[in-house]
Amino acid sequence: MPLPPLSLSLQFARFDGAAAHRTALPRHRVSRWVRHALGDDVQAAEITVRIVDAAEGQQLNRDFRGKDYATNVLTFDYSGAPVVAADLVLCAPVIEREARELAKPLTDHYAHLLVHGTLHAQGWDHETSTAEAEAMEARETAILGALGLADPYK
């Protein structure tokens, strides 16, 4: 089955060290990761991926989730299938720190979080129940495996 068309906007805020994140996120890879995370019921997707610094990440998390810290990925979903529209905001310093702590390549951690955020954009949720968290983790693992990447939960 062919992957659905994707209209992708890839944005990078200006911050110290942004060049390394640009290098880790070539447009063709970001597009591939997001498209593979789109479900069978998705006919097309319009997704903006924005890479931000800690200050912007913290402000967005505080303003929209009431949590006063920078988190790795925030998903703003506007419409679901058949046409998914969403913004994915990834906080570069948090992702870089997590990748280092997990001893995994920065690119692989970005792939995981882009898949994770794209699933959120389609209604997947890991915070409502253990069963839903396990289902979402299994879906992420399957998608990443199909992309040739390791299970992020092992």
Side-chain angles (χ1 to χ4, degrees), residues 72-73 98 102 104 108-120 124-127 130-145 149-154:
N72 51 21
V73 60
E98 289 175 347
L102 295 166
K104 65 194 281 190
D108 289 3
H109 198 42
Y110 267 118
H112 173 217
L113 292 172
L114 284 162
V115 166
H116 183 89
T118 302
L119 291 177
H120 273 306
W124 290 80
D125 192 350
H126 55 86
E127 295 183 350
T130 301
E132 288 189 26
E134 289 171 356
M136 187 171 178
E137 287 179 12
R139 183 72 184 128
E140 289 172 21
T141 299
I143 292 165
L144 292 168
L149 299 168
D151 181 344
Y153 297 102
K154 291 194 175 187

Coordinates of all heavy atoms in Angstrom, one line a residue, residues 72-73 98 102 104 108-120 124-127 130-145 149-154:
N72 N 10.1 17.0 25.4 CA 10.8 16.6 24.2 C 9.9 16.9 22.9 O 10.4 17.4 21.9 CB 11.2 15.1 24.2 CG 10.2 14.2 24.6 OD1 9.0 14.4 24.6 ND2 10.6 13.0 25.1
V73 N 8.6 16.5 23.0 CA 7.8 16.8 21.8 C 6.4 17.2 22.3 O 5.8 16.6 23.2 CB 7.7 15.5 20.9 CG1 7.1 14.3 21.6 CG2 6.9 15.8 19.6
E98 N 18.4 13.7 26.2 CA 17.8 12.4 26.3 C 18.6 11.4 25.4 O 18.9 10.2 25.9 CB 16.4 12.4 25.8 CG 15.4 13.0 26.8 CD 14.0 13.1 26.3 OE1 13.8 12.9 25.1 OE2 13.1 13.5 27.1
L102 N 20.5 8.1 26.9 CA 20.0 6.8 26.4 C 21.1 6.1 25.5 O 21.0 5.0 25.1 CB 18.8 6.9 25.5 CG 17.5 7.4 26.3 CD1 16.4 7.8 25.3 CD2 17.0 6.3 27.2
K104 N 22.1 6.8 22.5 CA 21.6 6.5 21.1 C 21.9 7.7 20.2 O 22.0 8.8 20.7 CB 20.1 6.1 21.1 CG 19.2 7.2 21.6 CD 17.8 6.6 21.9 CE 17.0 6.4 20.7 NZ 15.5 6.1 21.0
D108 N 18.4 8.9 15.6 CA 17.4 7.9 15.9 C 16.4 8.4 17.0 O 15.2 8.0 16.9 CB 18.2 6.7 16.5 CG 19.0 5.9 15.5 OD1 19.0 6.3 14.3 OD2 19.6 4.9 15.9
H109 N 16.9 9.2 17.9 CA 15.9 9.7 18.9 C 14.9 10.6 18.3 O 13.7 10.6 18.6 CB 16.7 10.4 20.1 CG 15.9 10.5 21.3 ND1 15.0 9.6 21.8 CD2 15.8 11.6 22.2 CE1 14.4 10.0 22.9 NE2 14.9 11.2 23.1
Y110 N 15.4 11.5 17.3 CA 14.5 12.3 16.6 C 13.4 11.5 15.8 O 12.2 11.8 15.8 CB 15.2 13.3 15.6 CG 15.5 14.6 16.2 CD1 16.8 15.0 16.3 CD2 14.5 15.5 16.6 CE1 17.1 16.3 16.8 CE2 14.8 16.7 17.1 CZ 16.1 17.1 17.2 OH 16.4 18.4 17.7
A111 N 13.9 10.4 15.2 CA 13.0 9.6 14.4 C 11.9 9.0 15.4 O 10.7 9.1 15.0 CB 13.7 8.4 13.8
H112 N 12.3 8.5 16.5 CA 11.3 8.0 17.5 C 10.3 9.1 17.9 O 9.1 8.9 17.9 CB 12.0 7.5 18.7 CG 11.1 7.1 19.8 ND1 11.4 7.3 21.2 CD2 9.9 6.5 19.8 CE1 10.4 6.8 21.9 NE2 9.4 6.4 21.1
L113 N 10.8 10.3 18.2 CA 9.9 11.3 18.7 C 9.0 11.9 17.6 O 7.9 12.3 17.8 CB 10.7 12.4 19.4 CG 11.3 11.9 20.7 CD1 12.2 12.9 21.3 CD2 10.2 11.5 21.7
L114 N 9.5 11.9 16.4 CA 8.6 12.3 15.2 C 7.5 11.2 15.0 O 6.4 11.6 14.7 CB 9.4 12.5 14.0 CG 10.2 13.9 14.0 CD1 11.3 13.9 13.0 CD2 9.2 15.0 13.8
V115 N 7.8 10.0 15.1 CA 6.8 8.9 15.0 C 5.8 9.1 16.1 O 4.6 9.0 15.9 CB 7.5 7.5 15.0 CG1 6.5 6.4 15.2 CG2 8.2 7.3 13.6
H116 N 6.4 9.3 17.3 CA 5.5 9.4 18.5 C 4.5 10.6 18.4 O 3.3 10.5 18.6 CB 6.5 9.6 19.7 CG 5.8 9.7 21.0 ND1 5.5 8.6 21.8 CD2 5.3 10.8 21.7 CE1 4.9 9.1 22.9 NE2 4.8 10.4 22.9
G117 N 5.1 11.7 18.0 CA 4.2 12.9 17.8 C 3.2 12.7 16.7 O 2.1 13.2 16.8
T118 N 3.6 12.0 15.6 CA 2.7 11.8 14.5 C 1.5 10.9 14.9 O 0.4 11.1 14.5 CB 3.4 11.2 13.3 OG1 4.4 12.2 12.9 CG2 2.5 11.0 12.1
L119 N 1.8 9.9 15.8 CA 0.8 9.1 16.3 C -0.2 9.9 17.2 O -1.4 9.7 17.1 CB 1.4 7.9 17.1 CG 2.1 6.8 16.2 CD1 2.7 5.7 17.1 CD2 1.2 6.2 15.2
H120 N 0.4 10.7 18.0 CA -0.5 11.6 18.8 C -1.4 12.4 17.9 O -2.6 12.6 18.3 CB 0.4 12.6 19.7 CG 0.8 12.1 21.0 ND1 -0.1 11.6 21.9 CD2 2.0 12.0 21.6 CE1 0.6 11.2 23.0 NE2 1.9 11.4 22.8
W124 N -3.6 8.7 19.0 CA -3.0 7.8 20.0 C -2.7 8.5 21.2 O -2.3 9.7 21.2 CB -1.7 7.2 19.3 CG -2.0 6.3 18.2 CD1 -2.2 6.6 16.9 CD2 -2.0 4.9 18.2 NE1 -2.4 5.5 16.1 CE2 -2.2 4.4 16.9 CE3 -1.7 3.9 19.2 CZ2 -2.2 3.1 16.6 CZ3 -1.8 2.6 18.9 CH2 -2.0 2.1 17.6
D125 N -2.8 7.9 22.4 CA -2.5 8.5 23.7 C -1.9 7.5 24.6 O -2.4 6.4 24.7 CB -3.8 9.1 24.2 CG -3.6 10.0 25.4 OD1 -2.5 10.1 25.9 OD2 -4.6 10.7 25.8
H126 N -0.9 7.9 25.3 CA -0.2 7.0 26.3 C -0.5 7.4 27.7 O 0.0 6.8 28.6 CB 1.3 6.9 26.0 CG 2.0 8.2 26.0 ND1 2.4 8.9 27.1 CD2 2.2 9.1 25.0 CE1 3.0 10.0 26.8 NE2 2.9 10.2 25.5
E127 N -1.3 8.5 27.9 CA -1.5 9.0 29.2 C -2.8 8.6 29.8 O -3.1 8.9 31.0 CB -1.3 10.5 29.2 CG 0.2 10.9 28.9 CD 0.4 12.4 29.0 OE1 -0.6 13.2 29.1 OE2 1.5 12.9 28.9
T130 N -2.8 2.3 30.9 CA -1.7 1.4 30.6 C -1.8 0.7 29.3 O -0.9 0.5 28.6 CB -1.5 0.5 31.8 OG1 -1.3 1.2 33.0 CG2 -0.3 -0.5 31.6
A131 N -3.1 0.2 29.0 CA -3.3 -0.5 27.8 C -3.0 0.3 26.6 O -2.4 -0.1 25.6 CB -4.7 -1.1 27.8
E132 N -3.5 1.6 26.6 CA -3.3 2.5 25.5 C -1.8 2.8 25.4 O -1.3 2.9 24.2 CB -4.1 3.8 25.6 CG -5.6 3.5 25.3 CD -6.4 4.7 25.2 OE1 -5.9 5.8 24.9 OE2 -7.6 4.6 25.5
A133 N -1.1 3.0 26.5 CA 0.4 3.2 26.4 C 1.1 2.1 25.8 O 2.0 2.3 25.0 CB 0.9 3.5 27.8
E134 N 0.7 0.9 26.2 CA 1.4 -0.3 25.6 C 1.1 -0.5 24.2 O 2.0 -0.8 23.4 CB 0.9 -1.6 26.4 CG 1.5 -1.6 27.8 CD 0.9 -2.8 28.7 OE1 0.0 -3.5 28.2 OE2 1.4 -2.9 29.8
A135 N -0.1 -0.2 23.7 CA -0.5 -0.2 22.3 C 0.3 0.8 21.5 O 0.8 0.5 20.4 CB -2.0 0.0 22.2
M136 N 0.4 2.0 22.1 CA 1.2 3.1 21.4 C 2.6 2.7 21.3 O 3.2 2.8 20.2 CB 1.0 4.4 22.1 CG 1.6 5.6 21.3 SD 1.1 7.1 22.1 CE 2.0 8.3 21.0
E137 N 3.2 2.2 22.3 CA 4.6 1.8 22.3 C 4.8 0.6 21.3 O 5.8 0.7 20.6 CB 5.1 1.3 23.7 CG 5.3 2.4 24.7 CD 5.7 2.0 26.1 OE1 6.1 0.8 26.2 OE2 5.6 2.8 27.0
A138 N 3.9 -0.3 21.2 CA 4.0 -1.4 20.3 C 4.0 -0.9 18.8 O 4.7 -1.3 18.0 CB 2.9 -2.4 20.5
R139 N 3.1 0.1 18.6 CA 2.9 0.7 17.3 C 4.2 1.4 16.9 O 4.7 1.3 15.8 CB 1.7 1.6 17.2 CG 1.5 2.2 15.9 CD 1.0 1.2 14.9 NE 0.8 1.8 13.6 CZ 1.4 1.3 12.5 NH1 2.0 0.2 12.5 NH2 1.2 2.0 11.3
E140 N 4.8 2.2 17.8 CA 6.0 2.9 17.6 C 7.1 2.0 17.3 O 7.9 2.2 16.3 CB 6.4 3.8 18.8 CG 5.6 4.9 19.1 CD 5.9 5.6 20.4 OE1 6.9 5.4 21.0 OE2 5.0 6.3 20.9
T141 N 7.3 0.9 18.0 CA 8.3 -0.1 17.8 C 8.2 -0.7 16.4 O 9.2 -0.9 15.7 CB 8.2 -1.2 18.9 OG1 8.5 -0.5 20.2 CG2 9.3 -2.3 18.7
A142 N 6.9 -1.1 16.0 CA 6.7 -1.7 14.7 C 7.1 -0.7 13.6 O 7.8 -1.1 12.6 CB 5.3 -2.1 14.6
I143 N 6.7 0.6 13.7 CA 7.0 1.6 12.7 C 8.5 1.7 12.6 O 9.1 1.7 11.5 CB 6.3 2.9 13.0 CG1 4.8 2.8 12.8 CG2 6.9 4.0 12.1 CD1 4.0 3.9 13.4
L144 N 9.2 1.9 13.7 CA 10.6 2.1 13.7 C 11.4 0.9 13.2 O 12.4 1.0 12.5 CB 11.1 2.5 15.1 CG 10.6 3.9 15.6 CD1 10.9 4.1 17.1 CD2 11.3 5.0 14.8
G145 N 10.9 -0.3 13.5 CA 11.5 -1.5 13.0 C 11.4 -1.6 11.5 O 12.3 -1.9 10.8
L149 N 15.1 0.9 12.4 CA 15.6 1.5 13.6 C 15.3 0.6 14.8 O 14.3 -0.2 14.8 CB 15.0 2.9 13.8 CG 15.4 3.9 12.7 CD1 14.5 5.1 12.8 CD2 16.9 4.2 12.8
A150 N 16.1 0.7 15.8 CA 15.9 -0.2 17.0 C 14.7 0.2 17.8 O 14.2 1.3 17.8 CB 17.2 -0.1 17.9
D151 N 14.2 -0.8 18.6 CA 13.1 -0.6 19.6 C 13.6 0.5 20.6 O 14.5 0.3 21.3 CB 12.8 -1.9 20.3 CG 11.7 -1.8 21.3 OD1 11.3 -0.7 21.7 OD2 11.2 -2.9 21.7
P152 N 12.8 1.6 20.6 CA 13.3 2.7 21.6 C 13.0 2.4 23.0 O 13.5 3.1 23.9 CB 12.4 3.9 21.1 CG 11.2 3.2 20.5 CD 11.7 1.9 19.9
Y153 N 12.3 1.3 23.3 CA 11.9 1.0 24.7 C 12.8 -0.1 25.3 O 12.5 -0.6 26.4 CB 10.4 0.6 24.8 CG 9.6 1.8 24.4 CD1 9.0 1.9 23.1 CD2 9.4 2.9 25.3 CE1 8.2 3.0 22.8 CE2 8.7 4.0 24.9 CZ 8.1 4.1 23.7 OH 7.4 5.2 23.3
K154 N 13.8 -0.6 24.5 CA 14.7 -1.6 25.1 C 16.0 -1.0 25.3 O 16.5 -0.1 24.8 CB 14.8 -2.8 24.1 CG 13.5 -3.5 24.1 CD 13.6 -4.9 23.5 CE 12.3 -5.6 23.6 NZ 12.3 -6.9 23.2

